[in-house]
Amino acid sequence: MTPSHIGVVGSGTMGGAIAHLMALSGYDVRLSDVSQPALEQAVRRMRSWMEMNVSKGKMTQEDADGTLDRISITTELNHLADCSFVVEAVFEDLQVKEQIFSQLDQILPQAAIIATNTSSMSITLLAEYTKRPGKVVGMHFFNPPQVMKLVEVVRGYKTDNDTVAKTMDLARNLGKEPIEVKKDTPGFIVNRILIPQLLEAVRLVEEGVATPEDVDKAIRLGLNSPMGPFELQDYTGVDIGLNVVDHFYEEFRNDRWAAPLSLRALVRAGRLGRKTGAGWYDYPSDSK
Ligand code: 3HC
């Protein structure tokens, strides 16, 4: 499938980067957000990354300009009306997603696919906000999407085979390795495995076994992982991690998924990581 235009809803870290990846791969992209400053910030991030690559000789100025020309930004969701494929990548708030899914359902052509980059929410539930549940699918990218090779293509209860096949094709056209997640389960595959590791790392620090820095060092050097669990939480956003954990707790109803108090305290204190803010390394831990 070659979608005529691809829409991306949400211009935060993931949405902006997914739009960028699509434009780098030659697609015309409409990037939408309710906030004009957020849209402009997303374009600035794309421009500065491409300027760096042009200066390193990894990309031509012509390719960088062409990529930006393929992206149009808008605060009106209606401007996505001619898209045959849309990826929703707004923050994990069910009410916001409900509104977006039902509006997209009204404006998009009947055959258009609505994909969601949700990290943990039920594809089956999101699909029910539309009258086209067969055309709703999970398309879960990993941060940074321009670099990370995996895309989880998640089947909701009613997602049809054609939608899964077209989403897998699109992921391949973006240079990714898609895998099909055959059942709609919280966290899909990667987060289902990753989150217990992150929780265990936090518990080790709470028990005074080691500092966040040393836990990270252990995982980097002992498992050859590019980042330790605390660096990774700071990189993807501590609040996003807590959101996923709380969602798991809701869904599984099992204490195994209860968020450690220090994780919640960090979010309440506004220490959200993402390179800009303080994160785990600044947590006032007894073990320091
Ligand atoms: N955007 C685009 N490209 C980027 C980038 C970004 N934000 N960050 C790094 N890159 C590129 C660089 O340009 C560089 O490309 P080059 O080799 O062509 O020059 C390459 O990635 C390597 O970058 P650096 O040399 O600057 O730094 P590192 O070698 O330390 O790599 C990293 C950075 C790729 C982020 C690496 O540390 C890594 O793989 N970390 C783990 C990331 C990870 O686990 N992500 C998954 C998080 S979980 C998730 O997303 C799920 C969600 O549901 C929460």
Side-chain angles (χ1 to χ4, degrees):
M1 175 196 63
T2 312
S4 49
H5 288 97
I6 298 187
V8 177
V9 186
S11 66
T13 306
M14 291 304 283
I18 292 167
H20 190 196
L21 167 69
M22 301 211 170
L24 283 166
S25 307
Y27 290 102
D28 285 318
V29 184
R30 303 209 196 299
L31 175 60
S32 133
D33 198 295
V34 286
S35 157
Q36 180 69 23
L39 287 163
E40 287 166 9
Q41 170 74 15
V43 173
R44 274 198 295 278
R45 279 199 302 269
M46 298 173 199
R47 185 173 283 123
S48 84
W49 183 79
M50 290 193 292
E51 273 168 9
M52 190 186 70
N53 276 350
V54 169
S55 71
K56 283 185 188 168
K58 291 187 170 178
M59 187 179 205
T60 65
Q61 188 60 51
E62 200 185 355
D63 284 346
D65 293 342
T67 300
L68 286 180
D69 285 346
R70 282 191 286 278
I71 299 178
S72 59
I73 57 174
T74 176
T75 53
E76 295 292 329
L77 202 58
N78 286 344
H79 289 167
L80 270 52
D82 61 349
C83 293
S84 51
F85 197 106
V86 173
V87 182
E88 170 275 316
V90 304
F91 54 93
E92 303 281 58
D93 180 308
L94 198 55
Q95 277 180 335
V96 175
K97 288 192 196 268
E98 175 176 2
Q99 209 186 343
I100 289 170
F101 271 72
S102 77
Q103 202 181 334
L104 284 173
D105 191 40
Q106 284 164 33
I107 62 167
L108 293 176
Q110 205 46 49
I113 291 174
I114 309 177
T116 171
N117 180 53
T118 181
S119 300
S120 56
M121 285 185 174
S122 163
I123 311 305
T124 306
L125 176 62
L126 296 174
E128 291 304 315
Y129 299 141
T130 73
K131 294 193 178 68
R132 62 179 87 196
K135 303 246 164 285
V136 175
V137 66
M139 189 178 198
H140 186 214
F141 291 85
F142 294 83
N143 191 15
Q146 298 97 327
V147 177
M148 303 298 283
K149 278 291 181 197
L150 181 69
V151 172
E152 290 176 325
V153 175
V154 188
R155 196 182 267 279
Y157 196 83
K158 295 181 185 166
T159 310
D160 61 42
N161 291 339
D162 181 60
T163 300
V164 171
K166 284 178 173 156
T167 309
M168 303 275 283
D169 281 349
L170 174 60
R172 287 188 198 101
N173 290 347
L174 299 173
K176 302 299 168 193
E177 295 274 350
I179 51 165
E180 183 186 335
V181 181
K182 295 176 187 293
K183 285 188 181 169
D184 183 16
T185 178
F188 318 132
I189 295 171
V190 172
N191 277 339
R192 179 85 176 265
I193 293 169
L194 174 69
I195 295 297
Q197 293 179 8
L198 300 183
L199 290 178
E200 224 35 50
V202 173
R203 290 182 188 123
L204 279 172
V205 170
E206 283 188 343
E207 289 166 20
V209 175
T211 60
E213 288 89 335
D214 280 350
V215 173
D216 278 352
K217 195 169 173 182
I219 297 304
R220 268 199 322 269
L221 304 184
L223 294 178
N224 250 359
S225 186
M227 284 180 175
F230 293 101
E231 276 178 294
L232 187 57
Q233 289 180 66
D234 286 355
Y235 181 70
T236 52
V238 180
D239 51 340
I240 290 170
L242 176 62
N243 203 302
V244 175
V245 174
D246 281 344
H247 181 70
F248 277 28
Y249 186 71
E250 273 289 304
E251 291 283 310
F252 290 114
R253 314 260 164 162
N254 186 320
D255 286 350
R256 176 180 164 218
W257 302 102
L261 291 179
S262 57
L263 172 59
R264 200 173 297 286
L266 208 69
V267 173
R268 285 183 178 149
R271 294 179 167 187
L272 308 181
R274 286 200 211 89
K275 288 183 186 167
T276 49
W280 273 109
Y281 282 13
D282 305 283
Y283 190 74
S285 135
D286 288 346
S287 58
K288 283 198 173 175

